[in-house]
Amino acid sequence: LAMVLAKVSGFLLIIILALITAKLTKRVVLPRVSKLVAKTRSTWDDTLEVYGFFNQVARLCPVIVVYLVTPVIFERDSNTVFYLQKALVVYAMILAVFIADTLLNTFHDIYNTYAVSRKVPIKSFIQVAKLICYFICGIFIISLLFNKTPVYLVSGLGAMTAVIMLI
């Protein structure tokens, strides 16, 4: 009973810590970043704010805090630390892909402000870059969940492609 109560209280403490970190980031850091962005003369940071880049990055703060605090709270339960940190890394990878997607959208929007964008559109290249980002993230998440190196997964995909081409 004591172990279950300790785990539940640990999880509650982690949830409260994540909520506090998220609120602090959203109510203290993001408004200051917005004011700083508004003061600059460049337009690219305004475009980053329009696409929600800073909000996406702010979502990483609670993940990082919980990841760092988890071993301290669950110091006697290595399995809980292992699985919780693995889940946090998967979530951070997904957030990183969303951040990369936002950066690519921002880059495309900034590129469209130039006259050359009418002659040389890059939307298809941006979409291919997004696909590659999502694919790489998927490979890394699967490799993390199965405790295998991503090289095995990529080589397995190459082998399956070769077999399919033979058929």
Side-chain angles (χ1 to χ4, degrees):
L1 182 65
M3 280 299 275
V4 173
L5 190 60
K7 272 190 182 182
V8 169
S9 63
F11 279 117
L12 286 175
L13 183 63
I14 284 178
I15 290 170
I16 290 169
L17 190 62
L19 290 172
I20 290 171
T21 306
K23 290 291 182 190
L24 277 175
T25 307
K26 197 168 212 134
R27 293 204 174 143
V28 176
V29 176
L30 284 178
R32 290 184 181 176
V33 169
S34 294
K35 286 179 184 177
L36 185 66
V37 165
K39 287 182 181 178
T40 61
R41 285 187 275 163
S42 63
T43 59
W44 61 270
D45 55 354
D46 297 329
T47 310
L48 281 172
E49 185 162 13
V50 166
Y51 279 101
F53 171 77
F54 301 112
N55 289 329
Q56 296 281 349
V57 173
R59 291 165 127 190
L60 274 175
C61 292
V63 175
I64 293 169
V65 169
V66 171
Y67 183 86
L68 294 174
V69 169
T70 299
V72 175
I73 293 176
F74 296 112
E75 62 185 329
R76 291 194 177 113
D77 192 5
S78 61
N79 282 338
T80 303
V81 171
F82 177 75
Y83 289 116
L84 190 58
Q85 284 187 332
K86 193 173 270 205
L88 289 167
V89 169
V90 168
Y91 183 62
M93 285 180 178
I94 292 169
L95 287 177
V97 167
F98 289 156
I99 291 169
D101 188 271
T102 302
L103 283 173
L104 288 169
N105 287 336
T106 304
F107 175 72
H108 185 250
D109 199 34
I110 292 170
Y111 179 78
N112 283 337
T113 63
Y114 294 107
V116 72
S117 68
R118 289 173 193 78
K119 294 178 184 174
V120 185
I122 62 166
K123 185 163 181 84
S124 59
F125 296 114
I126 296 291
Q127 290 174 343
V128 168
K130 286 181 183 182
L131 274 174
I132 290 170
C133 286
Y134 282 107
F135 180 74
I136 290 172
C137 180
I139 292 289
F140 278 120
I141 287 173
I142 291 170
S143 70
L144 181 74
L145 293 176
F146 290 119
N147 283 333
K148 300 289 182 192
T149 178
V151 175
Y152 289 134
L153 292 171
V154 173
S155 63
L157 287 173
M160 285 191 311
T161 304
V163 169
I164 289 174
M165 288 177 79
L166 284 174
I167 296 174

